[in-house]
Amino acid sequence: MAVKFQAQAKRNPQDITLPEKYYAAAIADGEVDLDMLAEQIAYECTVTESDCYAVLLSLERNIIQSLDAGRIVRLGRLGNFQVGLSSEGVDTEEEVNASLITKSRILFRPGKRLRQLLTNLSYKKAS
């Protein structure tokens, strides 16, 4: 399994007169939603109180496998996980290849309730 990427042209925001450079950008290869994850987990374990830990481990394993396959993982109201890439820039689309990728990361886009949490936070300076 592999995460797919494509060349993406970007201008230098500090000097827009410079020519565009091309960067590797991750592209999603399908989606996995909460219902599909629940179905996959149901085949691996039962959901009883004593199995709650096993269910959480199975969820983690399924999220990892889906991200490894380049999919977006949608966890309903919780939010979405996706792989993101950073790469070196090159002058042409044809020059973009996997060796230019310098960093990969897991992006999390929180759902509405989690985003609302940020607006309701209070802050206190540590002493």
Side-chain angles (χ1 to χ4, degrees), residues 13-73:
Q14 297 171 341
D15 187 356
I16 60 172
T17 62
L18 292 174
E20 289 183 330
K21 292 202 176 229
Y22 289 86
Y23 298 86
I27 55 172
D29 187 17
E31 296 181 355
V32 177
D33 63 12
L34 193 57
D35 292 340
M36 188 177 293
L37 285 173
E39 183 177 315
Q40 291 171 352
I41 291 168
Y43 289 114
E44 296 177 10
C45 61
T46 60
V47 183
T48 65
E49 189 173 338
S50 62
D51 291 329
C52 187
Y53 184 70
V55 170
L56 292 174
L57 289 177
S58 181
L59 177 62
E60 177 190 32
R61 199 169 31 256
N62 280 276
I63 290 171
I64 290 168
Q65 289 172 351
S66 295
L67 291 174
D68 188 44
R71 296 185 188 111
I72 297 171
V73 178

Side-chain angles (χ1 to χ4, degrees), residues 79-98:
N80 308 320
F81 291 94
Q82 183 176 359
V83 172
L85 302 175
S86 296
S87 74
E88 295 176 24
V90 292
D91 294 324
T92 66
E93 183 176 349
E94 292 75 23
E95 292 177 88
V96 176
N97 62 58

Side-chain angles (χ1 to χ4, degrees), residues 103-114:
K103 182 171 115 177
S104 58
R105 60 200 171 282
I106 295 173
L107 305 174
F108 176 69
R109 293 180 184 91
K112 183 178 179 181
R113 290 181 65 191
L114 284 176

